Amino acid sequence: MIVIAIANQKGGVGKTTTAINLATAFAASGWRTLLIDLDPQGNASTGLGIARADRENSSFELLIDGASLSECARETSIPLLDIVPATVDLSGAEIELVSAENRTQRLRDGLTDHAKYDIAFIDCPPSLGLLTLNGLVAADKLLVPLQCEFFALEGLSQLLQTVEQVQQRFNEDLGIVGITLTMFDRRNRLTDQVAEDVREVLGDLVFDTVVPRNVRLSEAPSHGVPALVYDHNCAGSRAYMDLARELIDRLPKRRKAA
């Protein structure tokens, strides 16, 4: 199983939207896909229509209580896409992890029983705490959603420093699979300037596909479905399908489900 952490310590950059729609696109392409909601807000779970009453076993149990992956993962309405949902209990996990044994490796240990899946996406919280650290230690690759705004590169620098520390201390195999530009607005000249600056600094790490500001992407979670299901022809959905194709090209070739 390929494990991709989707992380940015800055909130509101389209991280959860990216996680939901990339996972959906991969499942639609025949990949047996798992989405792990590691954010206490549980927005990825809500966005896939998982009611709070249906989250008896969650990422909290996986991390803290030693529950198995098969106990915590549940099917979604999307064929080939399962999710480990999140509950508000996860907000207390940071404190419990401080004194836990192997506190940075709890998620990696919880994913050992993964034969059912080809790929997993981890929706990390908007912070660089122990939850995100567990996501980075468990991952093979990191995908960074980057909003096209003035402070984008400053926040990215901090994240890249954290990745370097994780590589040195916990997970030397962690690599950055790519950076995706989100909330792109061609009417705003600053957006174009930020995108140009990011590409100049980071080169081929930046995906060609940019995700535009799109009202359908914002509406879809309130209906409990990904944008790719809510309106597969909208500009946001088309962008995420293009992004998924780019990402597949950057990953090792894996056998997909029949």
Side-chain angles (χ1 to χ4, degrees):
M1 181 175 72
I2 302 169
V3 182
I4 299 177
I6 300 177
N8 189 324
Q9 78 275 17
K10 189 177 184 304
V13 299
K15 176 180 54 61
T16 297
T17 299
T18 298
I20 291 172
N21 287 288
L22 274 182
T24 301
F26 268 72
S29 299
W31 293 65
R32 299 169 299 178
T33 307
L34 176 68
L35 177 57
I36 301 166
D37 192 348
L38 212 57
D39 189 339
Q41 297 176 86
N43 290 337
S45 307
T46 302
L48 283 172
I50 309 300
R52 296 194 179 275
D54 295 332
R55 305 179 194 180
E56 181 177 353
N57 287 323
S58 67
S59 50
F60 179 87
E61 282 73 27
L62 186 67
L63 279 170
I64 304 300
D65 294 342
S68 68
L69 180 59
S70 59
E71 290 175 315
C72 298
R74 55 157 299 162
E75 294 181 352
T76 71
S77 61
I78 310 299
L80 294 181
L81 175 57
D82 290 358
I83 186 170
V84 175
T87 65
V88 69
D89 292 342
L90 201 58
S91 60
E94 293 269 5
I95 298 173
E96 297 202 35
L97 284 170
V98 169
S99 57
E101 185 178 357
N102 297 325
R103 62 182 183 176
T104 64
Q105 301 174 27
R106 304 282 292 192
L107 182 58
R108 182 167 68 183
D109 293 344
L111 296 181
T112 53
D113 181 24
H114 62 248
K116 181 179 177 181
Y117 304 104
D118 298 311
I119 192 165
F121 293 95
I122 304 172
D123 183 28
C124 297
S127 70
L128 293 177
L130 280 171
L131 289 176
T132 296
L133 185 56
N134 264 269
L136 295 178
V137 172
D140 305 303
K141 304 288 184 182
L142 169 65
L143 188 149
V144 183
L146 192 68
Q147 185 180 0
C148 295
E149 65 162 24
F150 182 71
F151 294 113
L153 283 176
E154 183 176 298
L156 179 62
S157 174
Q158 184 181 359
L159 178 60
L160 296 181
Q161 289 175 11
T162 300
V163 171
E164 186 176 349
Q165 293 172 357
V166 171
Q167 290 170 329
Q168 292 173 353
R169 299 181 58 188
F170 306 112
N171 182 6
E172 63 181 12
D173 296 326
L174 178 65
I176 300 175
V177 71
I179 295 164
T180 181
L181 300 175
T182 61
M183 302 183 179
F184 191 86
D185 187 349
R186 296 190 182 279
R187 298 170 298 178
N188 187 334
R189 292 182 61 187
L190 177 61
T191 297
D192 281 324
Q193 185 61 55
V194 170
E196 185 178 323
D197 290 346
V198 171
R199 293 188 188 281
E200 183 176 340
V201 173
L202 298 169
D204 291 341
L205 270 182
V206 185
F207 289 104
D208 292 334
T209 302
V210 295
V211 180
R213 286 190 179 275
N214 182 246
V215 67
R216 292 301 203 188
L217 292 179
S218 302
E219 290 175 350
S222 66
H223 295 270
V225 294
L228 269 70
V229 174
Y230 181 63
D231 183 353
H232 70 275
N233 282 321
C234 73
S237 293
R238 293 198 304 270
Y240 276 118
M241 288 186 284
D242 290 341
L243 180 62
R245 283 189 282 268
E246 273 198 81
L247 180 55
I248 287 172
D249 287 341
R250 296 190 183 194
L251 296 177
K253 302 303 179 187
R254 293 292 178 101
R255 179 179 60 83
K256 294 181 287 187

